[in-house]
Amino acid sequence: MTDRATARAAKSALASRFAADPGVAGVGLARQDAEYVVRVDLTEAGAGGRVPHDVDGVRVVTHVIGTIRPQ
């Protein structure tokens, strides 16, 4: 089971890695199946191929949310 501190470290690593990637809208933590995972929100499905399935043993999940626009 992944603890929160380990998941936070993995989140930070991915956030830095994808900071300039236009296909990634955001990187955060989520709870899934009683453990922490890193959630990567994508603007397009094609960007998912660049996201690893895990980082330092922490599972990474992706969700396509589309482009974020200010209102």
Side-chain angles (χ1 to χ4, degrees):
M1 183 176 293
T2 303
D3 64 35
R4 189 175 181 149
T6 303
R8 276 187 171 164
K11 175 192 158 251
S12 293
L14 276 184
S16 295
R17 179 175 171 181
F18 291 109
D21 190 321
V24 176
V27 179
L29 294 182
R31 297 275 308 206
Q32 198 169 67
D33 300 328
E35 70 177 343
Y36 286 98
V37 298
V38 177
R39 177 179 163 151
V40 180
D41 292 331
L42 306 172
T43 59
E44 58 180 304
R50 298 189 294 273
V51 178
H53 296 287
D54 69 82
V55 173
D56 297 331
V58 179
R59 190 164 50 126
V60 177
V61 296
T62 58
H63 294 273
V64 179
I65 62 166
T67 303
I68 298 173
R69 294 184 181 91
Q71 292 187 10

